[in-house]
Amino acid sequence: MTLAPHPGPEAALGASWQRCELKYKLARDTARPILRMQSSEVTPRLQEMIERTGGRNGIFRQLAGIAAETGACLVVTDADGVLVRLEGKQGSRDLFERKGIALGSVWDERVAGTNGVSMALSERAAFTVRGQDHYFSLLKPFSCTAVPLFDAENEIVGAINFSMVDRGNHADYLFARQLLGAAADRVQRLLFERRFDSSMLVTVAPGAGRDLLQNNELVAVNEDGIILGATARAHLLAGSEAPAKLKGQSFETVFGAEPASLVQVPDRVLSVRHGGASLEITARVPSERRVAGRPPKPTPQAAPANPRRRRLAPSLNRLSLGSERMAAMCARAQAYYRRGLPFVIEGPSGTGKSSLVAALTDDAGSAQMMTVDCATLDDIPEDRAYFKTLVGQAQVAGALSDSLREPVTIVFENVDEMPGFAQAGLRAVLEIFDATEGTDMPRIMATSRHSLRQNVEQGLFRDDLNFLLARAVVALPALAERERIDALARDLAGSLAGAEVEITEEALAVLRAHPWPGNLRELRNVLQQALMEGNGRRISAVELLDLAPPATLQAGAPAVPRSVANYDERSMIEDALAGARWNVSQAARTLGMGRATIHRKMKQFGISRPA
């Protein structure tokens, strides 16, 4: 089944009205225009609908509860547009039923005119029909927002719809579209995972986005890397015309990544650029999904062009290495995160704020996370609209929290640089969370290079937002304030080298003496450069000459640790040769000496290459 190009809502509505008037000959002012089936005809349709959507799905109960709270009615129809389930407050239901919105009512365009259900089913996409857009005059008081439901094969099984008294408020339409869209996505994912439970599943998502409810698409692949099926919008990420176009094609050809290589990548995540877009591709090959216990068959094909391996999130223990103060901050952050308490992680650039966020979300298994870099926001219409959308998405995520298998997290990076309009938007988001009880709303974290309290005192940050956001503050110590840099440096060097690295006492003394204005980021760069200049398994003071220039490596030099002050010329030359794998020319370049000078000093000190 193919998707026709979407003509746009206005053109689609116009075409529908034209069909109603010219093709179906419908009279707009008909008193009772909605055809209604008998209950005996509705019951089997309801049973079939339950079976095709995966059983008595708890998501529909949640939608019914939200509809009751908002004064709307939840309408569930089958693929023919027959209303098989109607939920809402009794008063609202009475009003709707008087207008023909009742169990058994048929919303096929040929008899019900232009309406939300028929438009969503025909367009195969979310669609809002406002009061004025309904063809029949009787339906003018209502707005209807409907979303189609797809099965694992992308066949339409029905639609879910919010009908409400039309207040002309676009926020109502947006909320309904986001809420119903998220629910429909979860229904299809459930059906898809059941249908392809013995196949390799690959998750494909846009590489970057600011959409909290952005749904990652699933693609089922066999052991030869051929696509067996995909969820409703996977083809859009591939630049294909329709879901059916993906089936039978090579996953590597379509998405730019060879499936067998995914299981060899740490955390099985690849970031690739394909067709001008950035995609995040994740293999899902748990043991229960393998056929007869076999992993996907490897192929001799090359890995995807320019793949970027995603670094694994560090553990909280690793972040705390060498510092009891850092360990206390990590434990505090973990406690706040688990309790769902909004908090701010403060610290100078490079102290590990982003690493701590990654460790917390990885530890909690949070697969749904949105990151907003506040420093990139501008006071422009697009960014203002974005924050309004974020409020609605936060409400939706909280409303559907019971159907989520992992927590939803929103991270506001560089919140101290957030412009005024965005501060007002974030305050609105947090007030929604603060006023909502008994619901697992998204977890909120923020990072800041400066103290928000100081920014408030300077008039740069709203005090009411600070009270809502900074329920707790986690202040990360600078690297120079951490007690044992030795443990951290050894662990980081080993991680960079992929094996244990020896760091000499003289080199450790140089590392302890350095002020580290760039914190962990600077330490990482220094160690990486040292490993590149040396043999990759040993770091001596010679590889750290940029931190401790040769002039300071002389006996009696002030403000230099004793172990470094006693670092004589012979030791320096031996370390340079060892780091260069006894390549005299390379050692000479490292020390800034001539090759002949190195040979002369080797002879002078009795230095010879080990056997």
Side-chain angles (χ1 to χ4, degrees), residues 60-112:
F60 293 155
R61 288 196 299 273
Q62 289 180 273
L63 293 177
I66 298 167
E69 292 175 3
T70 58
C73 277
L74 170 66
V75 171
V76 181
T77 76
D78 63 9
D80 296 324
V82 177
L83 198 158
V84 296
R85 180 170 178 173
L86 180 65
E87 302 281 357
K89 286 185 177 180
Q90 190 60 50
S92 298
R93 288 187 57 176
D94 291 343
L95 172 63
F96 281 78
E97 289 179 352
R98 286 198 299 270
K99 300 292 185 178
I101 305 173
L103 284 175
S105 55
V106 180
W107 295 96
D108 186 299
E109 180 186 74
R110 292 171 295 182
V111 295

Side-chain angles (χ1 to χ4, degrees), residues 277-394:
S278 176
L279 298 176
E280 294 279 340
I281 301 176
T282 309
R284 297 182 56 190
V285 201
S287 57
E288 62 269 19
R289 292 195 184 278
R290 294 178 182 166
V291 180
R294 294 176 300 170
K297 183 173 68 179
T299 69
Q301 296 174 348
N306 300 319
R308 176 174 60 84
R309 295 191 177 193
R310 173 183 284 175
R311 190 184 307 148
L312 286 170
S315 69
L316 293 170
N317 287 337
R318 287 190 63 195
L319 285 175
S320 304
L321 277 175
S323 175
E324 294 180 2
R325 180 178 170 188
M326 184 65 179
M329 292 298 103
C330 288
R332 180 182 297 180
Q334 186 180 45
Y336 296 152
Y337 185 72
R338 286 178 173 175
R339 289 174 54 196
L341 188 68
F343 65 98
V344 177
I345 304 172
E346 294 182 353
S349 180
T351 48
K353 298 184 294 294
S354 296
S355 294
L356 179 53
V357 168
L360 291 170
T361 54
D362 185 69
D363 178 66
S366 178
Q368 287 197 281
M369 182 173 75
M370 181 180 68
T371 300
V372 181
D373 186 353
C374 302
T376 66
L377 297 174
D378 294 312
D379 192 358
I380 56 177
E382 291 80 2
D383 282 349
R384 283 182 171 272
Y386 163 61
F387 252 86
K388 289 182 180 179
T389 300
L390 179 60
V391 175
Q393 291 191 339

Side-chain angles (χ1 to χ4, degrees), residues 95-96 99 101 129-132 134 136-144 163-168 173:
L95 172 63
F96 281 78
K99 300 292 185 178
I101 305 173
V129 174
R130 300 166 297 174
Q132 64 189 26
H134 283 100
F136 283 125
S137 301
L138 189 72
L139 300 176
K140 292 295 183 184
F142 309 113
S143 69
C144 297
S163 293
M164 62 187 74
V165 174
D166 192 358
R167 302 182 300 174
Y173 316 146

Side-chain angles (χ1 to χ4, degrees), residues 510-570:
V510 172
L511 295 177
R512 293 189 200 100
H514 189 66
W516 300 111
N519 293 294
L520 290 169
R521 192 174 293 123
E522 182 184 5
L523 175 61
R524 182 182 182 86
N525 292 341
V526 166
L527 294 175
Q528 193 165 41
Q529 184 66 28
L531 290 168
M532 291 173 60
E533 292 182 355
N535 62 12
R537 293 293 183 271
R538 182 175 186 271
I539 296 176
S540 69
V542 171
E543 284 80 49
L544 302 175
L545 290 178
D546 287 342
L547 293 184
T552 69
L553 298 179
Q554 305 297 326
V560 176
R562 183 169 182 172
S563 60
V564 179
N566 294 329
Y567 189 57
D568 58 22
E569 193 174 29
R570 173 178 178 146

Side-chain angles (χ1 to χ4, degrees), residues 308-524:
R308 176 174 60 84
R309 295 191 177 193
R310 173 183 284 175
R311 190 184 307 148
L312 286 170
S315 69
L316 293 170
N317 287 337
R318 287 190 63 195
L319 285 175
S320 304
L321 277 175
S323 175
E324 294 180 2
R325 180 178 170 188
M326 184 65 179
M329 292 298 103
C330 288
R332 180 182 297 180
Q334 186 180 45
Y336 296 152
Y337 185 72
R338 286 178 173 175
R339 289 174 54 196
L341 188 68
F343 65 98
V344 177
I345 304 172
E346 294 182 353
S349 180
T351 48
K353 298 184 294 294
S354 296
S355 294
L356 179 53
V357 168
L360 291 170
T361 54
D362 185 69
D363 178 66
S366 178
Q368 287 197 281
M369 182 173 75
M370 181 180 68
T371 300
V372 181
D373 186 353
C374 302
T376 66
L377 297 174
D378 294 312
D379 192 358
I380 56 177
E382 291 80 2
D383 282 349
R384 283 182 171 272
Y386 163 61
F387 252 86
K388 289 182 180 179
T389 300
L390 179 60
V391 175
Q393 291 191 339
Q395 290 176 296
V396 171
L400 291 178
S401 60
D402 290 344
S403 68
L404 300 177
R405 289 169 294 179
E406 64 280 322
V408 176
T409 301
I410 309 177
V411 181
F412 294 94
E413 291 184 341
N414 302 309
V415 72
D416 51 321
E417 300 182 45
M418 177 178 279
F421 84 91
Q423 291 184 33
L426 178 55
R427 176 177 172 273
V429 173
L430 294 178
E431 283 185 331
I432 290 171
F433 297 166
D434 198 45
T436 304
E437 297 181 0
T439 305
D440 185 16
M441 297 300 286
R443 300 175 181 182
I444 301 293
M445 286 187 285
T447 66
S448 175
R449 287 182 292 180
H450 304 98
S451 165
L452 285 188
R453 170 48 54 192
Q454 292 182 4
N455 279 16
V456 169
E457 293 172 354
Q458 296 171 13
L460 302 175
F461 201 81
R462 295 176 62 126
D463 57 349
D464 53 354
L465 175 57
N466 182 57
F467 291 133
L468 285 168
L469 180 63
R471 303 286 185 86
V473 175
V474 175
L476 301 188
L479 180 57
E481 298 172 358
R482 301 188 188 183
E483 301 93 315
R484 299 180 303 281
I485 194 175
D486 313 38
L488 182 59
R490 288 194 179 97
D491 180 76
L492 187 52
S495 176
L496 292 169
E500 187 174 350
V501 173
E502 177 192 358
I503 304 180
T504 68
E505 285 301 319
E506 292 82 7
L508 288 173
V510 172
L511 295 177
R512 293 189 200 100
H514 189 66
W516 300 111
N519 293 294
L520 290 169
R521 192 174 293 123
E522 182 184 5
L523 175 61
R524 182 182 182 86

